[in-house]
Structure formats: C-alpha cells, structure tokens
Amino acid sequence: MGLEHNANQVSTHLSACANCETSLEDKFCPSCGQRYRSERLSLKMLLIDIPSQWLNLDKGFFYTFFQHFKSPGSVAKRHVEGQRVVFTNPLTYYLIGAAAQLLMLCVFKDVLSEKMIAQVQQSPEMLESLKGLLGENAPKKYADLYLSVINQGYTYLGFIFLCIPFALFLRLFSKKHRQVYNTAETLVFSFYTMGHFVLCTGLLGFISMMINPDIHAPISVLICFVFGWLSCRGFYGKAHHNGFASLFALVLTFVTFLSTLVIMMGIALHTR
C-alpha cells in the first residue's frame, strides 16, 4: 500500500520526460532512463552530473558536435531545459576540444617551433634579451617554453581563464541575460561554446598548419567571434539576447585569456 501510494504521488506530480517526452510514472524515465528533476540547474547538480557522463562518447558526442553547427546555442539551451541524456556533458565536451588542440600542437610541434625560432632570430634585440635570460640556444628554449604555455592554455588555464570569465562577463554586462539563466546554466553554455570553438580550431589546425601556419590564428579569431555571437543569440533567444553585451563579453574573455598566457610566459622566462 505504501509503495502504491508513493508511486501514485510521484505520477501525480510528474508529467513527461524533458528528454524524450515519455510519460513518467516514477523519478526515472522508463524509456531513456533520465532522472526527473523539477528544480532549476544548480552548481551542485552540474558537478554531480560530470562523473556519471565522463566516458559517455556514444551518439551523444557526435549529436552534440553536429547540433552546434546546425543550431548554435541550442545544445546548451536544451541541456538546461532538461534534455541531457542525448548530449555529451558540457565539461567533457570542452575537454575533448582541448584534447584535439593538444593533439594538433603535438603533431605540428616542429613546425610551430621552427616558426618561433625564425621570429626570434629576425629580431636582434629580442635575441639578445632572450640570451640573457635563457643562455645558449635561447631561441629553441624560448620556442619550447611558448609551446608549453600554450598547452597549459588549453587545459586548466582554459578552464579557469576562458570558460569561467565568459560566463561571468555574459551575466555582468546584461540584465537581460541574468533574468533568463543563473550562473550554473550560463556556465553550461560557456563550456559548450568554448569547447566547440577549441574543438573546431584544433581540427582545423590539421589543415591550416599544412597549408600555411600564419592563417591559423586569424581564422581561429574569426570562428570565435562569429560562432560565439551566434551561439549567444541562439541560447538567449532574440527577445533576451543583448548583442553588444555578448560581443563585449567575447572580447574581454579573450583579452583575459591572452593576458594570462603572456603572464605565464613571463613567469616561465624568469624562473627558467
């Protein structure tokens, strides 16, 4: 009797699964297995979801990847609204993107190193300054330090100084944005957006590095601002999207990220 009463009580309050729209009779969907949650997404819930989906690279990853092209911003929007089983976890998606970047940097390490060495040798003043800091074979040591900092930039530095600032700036510069989504929900959007940007530029690097390494950075910047802005509009919707605030948030985010890399490079040079 107690179990029947409990089931009836659950079915009274639940209507349909947010992920597959199957009628619910319990806290878990009988069709896709997603848990029903009536409360809004919170930081605690976000952190709990990460371990359970860490290795989930089934249809979810490819579906997530192509949906970002088909409808920028919709993945995060649908995830926040409750459709989470079909998508790769936002943090996992960012880390996959970071892995693509690291693989690209590893494959083309020699190309990038030679490019950095050539740039240093073209500037006598820079060459002398680096010799004073790094000693013999300074250009090669400088190139190795640079690549090391870039590698860090796409792992923990990207997590702290790319994804988090983007979410905070989006909320800081627009009241409209704050009215629609809370901090955790905006972080979901940030991880998906930056993850897709990092993933795409990492994959693109395998082509651009073979054609002309100099075109990789400009193309990456273009992708960032075009995709980032379109994603903001898709996530917030036309009624709540502040285009200027989104663009300003993107600019400040990358200024923050690049400034961090410069500081880290300075620290590496003076502690070598």
Side-chain angles (χ1 to χ4, degrees):
M1 287 293 290
L3 290 174
E4 290 179 12
H5 174 71
N6 202 23
N8 290 333
Q9 189 177 34
V10 172
S11 62
T12 302
H13 294 292
L14 309 186
S15 55
C17 173
N19 183 60
C20 67
E21 299 183 354
T22 300
S23 297
L24 295 176
E25 298 178 357
D26 202 345
K27 290 185 178 181
F28 293 90
C29 175
S31 179
C32 68
Q34 176 163 291
R35 181 176 180 176
Y36 173 80
R37 283 172 172 162
S38 58
E39 68 272 23
R40 290 183 67 176
L41 190 67
S42 65
L43 287 172
K44 181 180 178 181
M45 290 168 60
L46 184 60
L47 292 173
I48 290 174
D49 281 346
I50 291 170
S52 64
Q53 299 186 33
W54 177 251
L55 297 176
N56 185 12
L57 297 180
D58 297 329
K59 177 186 175 183
F61 169 71
F62 295 104
Y63 184 69
T64 303
F65 180 75
F66 289 113
Q67 282 298 307
H68 275 102
F69 289 109
K70 183 179 179 181
S71 181
S74 66
V75 171
K77 185 179 180 66
R78 291 168 61 186
H79 182 97
V80 167
E81 290 173 349
Q83 298 182 42
R84 295 166 196 164
V85 172
V86 294
F87 297 118
T88 301
N89 179 275
L91 180 55
T92 304
Y93 195 72
Y94 173 79
L95 293 176
I96 292 170
Q101 282 281 355
L102 293 176
L103 179 60
M104 184 270 290
L105 291 171
C106 179
V107 171
F108 295 100
K109 180 180 178 180
D110 293 339
V111 174
L112 293 168
S113 181
E114 289 173 6
K115 185 174 181 294
M116 292 300 301
I117 292 171
Q119 288 179 347
V120 171
Q121 291 175 338
Q122 288 174 2
S123 174
E125 292 182 1
M126 185 178 183
L127 182 58
E128 287 302 315
S129 177
L130 288 175
K131 282 183 178 179
L133 291 170
L134 302 174
E136 293 299 321
N137 203 17
K140 179 65 169 62
K141 292 178 181 178
Y142 175 78
D144 290 342
L145 285 175
Y146 174 82
L147 290 174
S148 175
V149 170
I150 294 298
N151 285 338
Q152 294 176 62
Y154 287 111
T155 51
Y156 71 93
L157 289 179
F159 177 86
I160 300 171
F161 296 105
L162 189 64
C163 297
I164 294 177
F166 184 46
L168 296 179
F169 289 146
L170 282 172
R171 289 179 54 78
L172 179 63
F173 298 123
S174 177
K175 185 178 180 180
K176 283 184 178 181
H177 293 174
R178 293 194 298 273
Q179 289 174 338
V180 184
Y181 298 111
N182 62 27
T183 302
E185 291 163 344
T186 310
L187 275 171
V188 165
F189 170 68
S190 181
F191 283 128
Y192 273 133
T193 303
M194 291 303 165
H196 194 67
F197 158 70
V198 171
L199 176 58
C200 288
T201 53
L203 296 175
L204 181 65
F206 286 94
I207 300 173
S208 62
M209 288 294 171
M210 289 188 290
I211 298 174
N212 183 357
D214 292 332
I215 68 173
H216 183 69
I219 292 176
S220 296
V221 171
L222 180 63
I223 291 174
C224 164
F225 285 100
V226 173
F227 174 73
W229 194 88
L230 289 174
S231 294
C232 288
R233 188 175 66 172
F235 181 60
Y236 290 105
K238 292 182 180 179
H240 296 95
H241 179 223
N242 186 324
F244 176 78
S246 297
L247 184 61
F248 196 43
L250 282 166
V251 171
L252 279 184
T253 297
F254 276 87
V255 168
T256 301
F257 180 64
L258 293 175
S259 298
T260 302
L261 295 183
V262 171
I263 292 170
M264 291 296 294
M265 190 66 190
I267 294 172
L269 284 171
H270 289 86
T271 56
R272 179 70 183 226

